Amino acid sequence: KQEVTQIPAALSVPEGENLVLNCSFTDSAIYNLQWFRQDPGKGLTSLLLIQSSQREQTSGRLNASLDKSSGRSTLYIAASQPGDSATYLCAVSSGSARQLTFGSGTQLTVLP
Amino acid sequence: DAGVIQSPRHEVTEMGQEVTLRCKPISGHDYLFWYRQTMMRGLELLIYFNNNVPIDDSGMPEDRFSAKMPNASFSTLKIQPSEPRDSAVYFCASSFVSDEQYFGPGTRLTVT
């Protein structure tokens, strides 16, 4: 059974810092990995999707990497802003329907 | 496209009552997923459909839960009878050919 772990559970940084969120998974037989953002009381917004054959994806200030063999992914956020404050969820796609298994998330607070 | 649409956004009901949650996936998507999010268990997959056919309902917690997809543009998740422990946020998501999943805004269910 696939298990996804995210470290740290919470992170507080001053505005402008670069930061890294970590995600690990137990079964390397994945199709893809998605990073989501969730604001309090809101739904999930997809940030980046990395296919299993890819090593990284970039979108603006966000860069996600994937090391499938070691079961790890990182989400790098450059020059953090207070608007980046949210919970960041990592999810891996596996199984016959490529269903997602989610980590428990990292709650990020960027202080102005 | 309007994205994945869910209704209602909030539902408050008394224990023992029937609850029906509704979802309209993105047009053209062939996979539909129902997830539940709680503080204790995070995001869990309940059931998913492919081309309107239920494929895996192993995540459905009990027989009180049922889901249908009568056509490509509509799905329901029903709880009968509801219990306080069913209180959670229920998300619907859709994807095309098992690729990136797009989530709806969720339905916050409170059972008193």
Side-chain angles (χ1 to χ4, degrees), chain A residues 44-56:
Chain A
L44 279 70
T45 301
S46 180
L47 298 173
L48 289 165
L49 178 145
I50 310 177
Q51 300 290 354
S52 62
S53 59
Q54 297 175 320
R55 298 283 294 181
E56 65 178 320

PDB file of all heavy atoms in Angstrom, chain A residues 44-56:
ATOM      1  N   LEU A  44      -8.620  22.306  -3.454  1.00  0.00           N
ATOM      2  CA  LEU A  44      -7.227  22.085  -3.815  1.00  0.00           C
ATOM      3  C   LEU A  44      -6.927  22.710  -5.175  1.00  0.00           C
ATOM      4  O   LEU A  44      -7.680  22.524  -6.126  1.00  0.00           O
ATOM      5  CB  LEU A  44      -6.931  20.588  -3.888  1.00  0.00           C
ATOM      6  CG  LEU A  44      -6.660  19.866  -2.584  1.00  0.00           C
ATOM      7  CD1 LEU A  44      -7.919  19.748  -1.744  1.00  0.00           C
ATOM      8  CD2 LEU A  44      -6.086  18.486  -2.851  1.00  0.00           C
ATOM      9  N   THR A  45      -5.816  23.417  -5.232  1.00  0.00           N
ATOM     10  CA  THR A  45      -5.358  23.990  -6.485  1.00  0.00           C
ATOM     11  C   THR A  45      -4.093  23.267  -6.914  1.00  0.00           C
ATOM     12  O   THR A  45      -3.125  23.208  -6.156  1.00  0.00           O
ATOM     13  CB  THR A  45      -5.049  25.491  -6.321  1.00  0.00           C
ATOM     14  OG1 THR A  45      -6.234  26.167  -5.893  1.00  0.00           O
ATOM     15  CG2 THR A  45      -4.581  26.088  -7.637  1.00  0.00           C
ATOM     16  N   SER A  46      -4.108  22.716  -8.116  1.00  0.00           N
ATOM     17  CA  SER A  46      -2.931  22.010  -8.608  1.00  0.00           C
ATOM     18  C   SER A  46      -1.834  23.011  -8.959  1.00  0.00           C
ATOM     19  O   SER A  46      -2.078  23.999  -9.659  1.00  0.00           O
ATOM     20  CB  SER A  46      -3.289  21.186  -9.846  1.00  0.00           C
ATOM     21  OG  SER A  46      -2.153  20.504 -10.335  1.00  0.00           O
ATOM     22  N   LEU A  47      -0.647  22.766  -8.433  1.00  0.00           N
ATOM     23  CA  LEU A  47       0.487  23.651  -8.692  1.00  0.00           C
ATOM     24  C   LEU A  47       1.398  23.101  -9.791  1.00  0.00           C
ATOM     25  O   LEU A  47       1.736  23.805 -10.743  1.00  0.00           O
ATOM     26  CB  LEU A  47       1.316  23.835  -7.413  1.00  0.00           C
ATOM     27  CG  LEU A  47       0.591  24.493  -6.233  1.00  0.00           C
ATOM     28  CD1 LEU A  47       1.470  24.461  -4.997  1.00  0.00           C
ATOM     29  CD2 LEU A  47       0.198  25.919  -6.577  1.00  0.00           C
ATOM     30  N   LEU A  48       1.803  21.868  -9.629  1.00  0.00           N
ATOM     31  CA  LEU A  48       2.733  21.249 -10.568  1.00  0.00           C
ATOM     32  C   LEU A  48       2.438  19.760 -10.646  1.00  0.00           C
ATOM     33  O   LEU A  48       2.073  19.143  -9.648  1.00  0.00           O
ATOM     34  CB  LEU A  48       4.190  21.451 -10.119  1.00  0.00           C
ATOM     35  CG  LEU A  48       4.764  22.863 -10.224  1.00  0.00           C
ATOM     36  CD1 LEU A  48       6.043  22.977  -9.418  1.00  0.00           C
ATOM     37  CD2 LEU A  48       5.028  23.225 -11.674  1.00  0.00           C
ATOM     38  N   LEU A  49       2.618  19.218 -11.823  1.00  0.00           N
ATOM     39  CA  LEU A  49       2.522  17.771 -12.018  1.00  0.00           C
ATOM     40  C   LEU A  49       3.814  17.305 -12.669  1.00  0.00           C
ATOM     41  O   LEU A  49       4.246  17.887 -13.681  1.00  0.00           O
ATOM     42  CB  LEU A  49       1.315  17.412 -12.891  1.00  0.00           C
ATOM     43  CG  LEU A  49       1.135  15.926 -13.204  1.00  0.00           C
ATOM     44  CD1 LEU A  49      -0.337  15.563 -13.268  1.00  0.00           C
ATOM     45  CD2 LEU A  49       1.811  15.524 -14.506  1.00  0.00           C
ATOM     46  N   ILE A  50       4.442  16.289 -12.100  1.00  0.00           N
ATOM     47  CA  ILE A  50       5.659  15.719 -12.672  1.00  0.00           C
ATOM     48  C   ILE A  50       5.347  14.285 -13.101  1.00  0.00           C
ATOM     49  O   ILE A  50       4.931  13.465 -12.271  1.00  0.00           O
ATOM     50  CB  ILE A  50       6.812  15.685 -11.654  1.00  0.00           C
ATOM     51  CG1 ILE A  50       6.990  17.033 -10.978  1.00  0.00           C
ATOM     52  CG2 ILE A  50       8.112  15.274 -12.336  1.00  0.00           C
ATOM     53  CD1 ILE A  50       8.077  17.017  -9.903  1.00  0.00           C
ATOM     54  N   GLN A  51       5.547  13.985 -14.361  1.00  0.00           N
ATOM     55  CA  GLN A  51       5.372  12.618 -14.834  1.00  0.00           C
ATOM     56  C   GLN A  51       6.534  11.774 -14.302  1.00  0.00           C
ATOM     57  O   GLN A  51       7.622  12.288 -14.025  1.00  0.00           O
ATOM     58  CB  GLN A  51       5.342  12.573 -16.357  1.00  0.00           C
ATOM     59  CG  GLN A  51       4.217  13.379 -16.984  1.00  0.00           C
ATOM     60  CD  GLN A  51       2.844  12.783 -16.744  1.00  0.00           C
ATOM     61  OE1 GLN A  51       2.699  11.686 -16.195  1.00  0.00           O
ATOM     62  NE2 GLN A  51       1.800  13.504 -17.141  1.00  0.00           N
ATOM     63  N   SER A  52       6.315  10.478 -14.212  1.00  0.00           N
ATOM     64  CA  SER A  52       7.332   9.597 -13.625  1.00  0.00           C
ATOM     65  C   SER A  52       8.645   9.611 -14.422  1.00  0.00           C
ATOM     66  O   SER A  52       9.705   9.323 -13.871  1.00  0.00           O
ATOM     67  CB  SER A  52       6.809   8.169 -13.527  1.00  0.00           C
ATOM     68  OG  SER A  52       6.511   7.671 -14.814  1.00  0.00           O
ATOM     69  N   SER A  53       8.563   9.965 -15.706  1.00  0.00           N
ATOM     70  CA  SER A  53       9.765   9.990 -16.550  1.00  0.00           C
ATOM     71  C   SER A  53      10.527  11.311 -16.450  1.00  0.00           C
ATOM     72  O   SER A  53      11.620  11.447 -17.004  1.00  0.00           O
ATOM     73  CB  SER A  53       9.379   9.746 -18.001  1.00  0.00           C
ATOM     74  OG  SER A  53       8.459  10.731 -18.433  1.00  0.00           O
ATOM     75  N   GLN A  54       9.939  12.268 -15.741  1.00  0.00           N
ATOM     76  CA  GLN A  54      10.559  13.586 -15.634  1.00  0.00           C
ATOM     77  C   GLN A  54      11.322  13.709 -14.326  1.00  0.00           C
ATOM     78  O   GLN A  54      11.056  13.006 -13.350  1.00  0.00           O
ATOM     79  CB  GLN A  54       9.486  14.672 -15.720  1.00  0.00           C
ATOM     80  CG  GLN A  54       8.756  14.691 -17.060  1.00  0.00           C
ATOM     81  CD  GLN A  54       7.622  15.705 -17.078  1.00  0.00           C
ATOM     82  OE1 GLN A  54       6.901  15.850 -16.096  1.00  0.00           O
ATOM     83  NE2 GLN A  54       7.473  16.377 -18.200  1.00  0.00           N
ATOM     84  N   ARG A  55      12.237  14.681 -14.303  1.00  0.00           N
ATOM     85  CA  ARG A  55      13.024  14.934 -13.093  1.00  0.00           C
ATOM     86  C   ARG A  55      12.540  16.181 -12.364  1.00  0.00           C
ATOM     87  O   ARG A  55      12.689  16.287 -11.150  1.00  0.00           O
ATOM     88  CB  ARG A  55      14.487  15.099 -13.452  1.00  0.00           C
ATOM     89  CG  ARG A  55      15.107  13.884 -14.090  1.00  0.00           C
ATOM     90  CD  ARG A  55      15.421  12.824 -13.072  1.00  0.00           C
ATOM     91  NE  ARG A  55      16.453  13.218 -12.142  1.00  0.00           N
ATOM     92  CZ  ARG A  55      16.912  12.436 -11.173  1.00  0.00           C
ATOM     93  NH1 ARG A  55      16.412  11.227 -11.022  1.00  0.00           N
ATOM     94  NH2 ARG A  55      17.853  12.843 -10.357  1.00  0.00           N
ATOM     95  N   GLU A  56      12.001  17.149 -13.120  1.00  0.00           N
ATOM     96  CA  GLU A  56      11.533  18.362 -12.470  1.00  0.00           C
ATOM     97  C   GLU A  56      10.559  19.110 -13.356  1.00  0.00           C
ATOM     98  O   GLU A  56      10.484  18.877 -14.569  1.00  0.00           O
ATOM     99  CB  GLU A  56      12.717  19.262 -12.092  1.00  0.00           C
ATOM    100  CG  GLU A  56      13.515  19.824 -13.252  1.00  0.00           C
ATOM    101  CD  GLU A  56      14.620  20.744 -12.757  1.00  0.00           C
ATOM    102  OE1 GLU A  56      14.398  21.518 -11.803  1.00  0.00           O
ATOM    103  OE2 GLU A  56      15.711  20.677 -13.319  1.00  0.00           O
TER     104      GLU A  56
END
